[in-house]
Amino acid sequence: MTTAIHLAGVRKAYGATRALDGVSFDVERGEMFGLIGSDGAGKTTAIRLMCGLIRADAGEVRVLGRDPVREHRHLTERVGYLSQRFSLYGDLTVDENIAFFAEVHGVGDYDRRRDELLEMTQLAPFRRRLADRLSGGMKQKLALVCTLVHQPELLLLDEPTTGVDPVSRREFWKLLSEFLSQGITILMSTPYMDEAERCTRVALLHEGRLLASDDPSRLRAAAAGTVSLEDVFINLLAKEVAS
Ligand SMILES: Nc1ncnc2c1ncn2[C@@H]1O[C@H](COP(=O)(O)OP(=O)(O)O)[C@@H](O)[C@H]1O
Ligand SMILES: [Mg+2]
């Protein structure tokens, strides 16, 4: 099986708001897939559906071949999820935060994994520091470590770099490509077009509608004359508004 995530005709409404209005796309294993769109596009709704935290009104959602709501227990070990407003425990140390997340996932023997992740993220010297006293970029990395300690195959990251300074963002991306090279599949949402360019494939979302889903260079090539993905997005939006 090479498909990691499958969405087909997915709809989800909150009252009169159509958060997702018939969205379909697939994420293959080993991809760095970007869910791209501004506020209200439906990114968080899509990721929460993939986590099985909410149920679709219609359509099909499959994650690693499973139904994330009905087969939730099969996925908790295999999926790492970083929510948009992730919460570390500020009054716990780096080590204690990791221990907490390991326990939540029922991971017993995680010392080696933890040490390896702390080395990779250069957090090792700060193991005894309270999370509240870390810089923003360090908090972000610690949150990522916490989602990885149970060795998931698939990472779902909801706007992990929003509001993070440019240097930390670049460092964060370097980490993501290392995890990718270890065979982990990553789906992340972002409002930033420069990040979209770095994905193997993207889904462009606007107000619950999928505008396009392809690899960034193909999207640029299909829209003759446009140089950046941002232009592609703006053109697609203009067409959507005109239709
Ligand atoms: N729990 C909720 N109750 C009501 N409306 C919601 C809720 N969650 C999301 N929405 C609405 O659904 C739309 C999509 O939201 P969301 O999935 O959070 O988008 P994004 O993450 O791309 O900003 C927005 O219009 C938002 O206001
Ligand atoms: Mg969101």
Side-chain angles (χ1 to χ4, degrees):
M1 193 195 71
T2 57
T3 305
I5 300 170
H6 172 69
L7 263 63
V10 171
R11 292 179 196 282
K12 177 72 190 174
Y14 296 101
T17 307
R18 292 177 181 174
L20 290 176
D21 194 8
V23 169
S24 309
F25 61 83
D26 281 8
V27 177
E28 302 303 321
R29 283 186 186 251
E31 277 204 273
M32 171 71 241
F33 193 94
L35 209 51
I36 318 297
S38 48
D39 252 14
K43 305 182 296 298
T44 296
T45 301
I47 292 177
R48 299 189 74 207
L49 283 165
M50 294 168 196
C51 292
L53 296 170
I54 50 173
R55 203 183 284 269
D57 299 334
E60 195 178 31
V61 181
R62 288 286 178 278
V63 174
L64 303 173
R66 304 276 189 175
D67 179 325
V69 175
R70 287 190 302 138
E71 301 178 290
H72 190 72
R73 278 179 304 129
H74 293 275
L75 290 174
T76 48
E77 276 173 40
R78 301 173 66 194
V79 178
Y81 167 51
L82 187 56
S83 69
Q84 188 166 1
R85 285 183 192 78
F86 65 88
S87 43
L88 295 165
Y89 290 88
D91 53 351
L92 296 184
T93 64
V94 168
D95 266 4
E96 287 166 345
N97 267 285
I98 298 170
F100 177 82
F101 279 85
E103 215 161 287
V104 165
H105 283 284
V107 189
D109 190 15
Y110 64 91
D111 288 12
R112 265 191 58 192
R113 176 68 171 164
R114 176 198 58 206
D115 293 352
E116 180 192 303
L117 288 167
L118 287 174
E119 282 305 320
M120 274 180 82
T121 52
Q122 294 169 330
L123 284 172
F126 307 100
R127 300 174 60 152
R128 275 166 199 85
R129 188 176 287 193
L130 295 181
D132 259 350
R133 309 207 35 213
L134 300 172
S135 70
M138 285 159 81
K139 280 184 184 148
Q140 205 74 0
K141 289 196 290 187
L142 176 56
L144 186 64
V145 168
C146 289
T147 66
L148 281 160
V149 74
H150 65 295
Q151 309 218 33
E153 299 157 48
L154 172 67
L155 269 186
L156 303 173
L157 308 174
D158 197 359
E159 294 200 33
T161 59
T162 297
V164 176
D165 69 87
V167 175
S168 302
R169 264 175 70 189
R170 192 166 34 178
E171 215 181 304
F172 194 82
W173 267 93
K174 254 170 71 185
L175 282 171
L176 291 187
S177 45
E178 277 178 58
F179 293 124
L180 209 60
S181 70
Q182 292 177 2
I184 297 175
T185 305
I186 303 174
L187 174 140
M188 77 175 271
S189 68
T190 178
Y192 301 123
M193 281 300 153
D194 61 315
E195 296 194 327
E197 300 270 4
R198 310 176 70 155
C199 296
T200 52
R201 286 191 316 133
V202 296
L204 304 181
L205 281 178
H206 180 69
E207 292 181 354
R209 307 273 299 264
L210 182 75
L211 300 182
S213 170
D214 208 338
D215 81 58
S217 59
R218 285 244 296 267
L219 285 174
R220 281 196 305 271
T226 53
V227 282
S228 73
L229 201 56
E230 184 142 26
D231 292 335
V232 174
F233 203 164
I234 289 166
N235 286 351
L236 286 167
L237 264 183
K239 269 189 213 154
E240 169 94 359
V241 170
S243 70

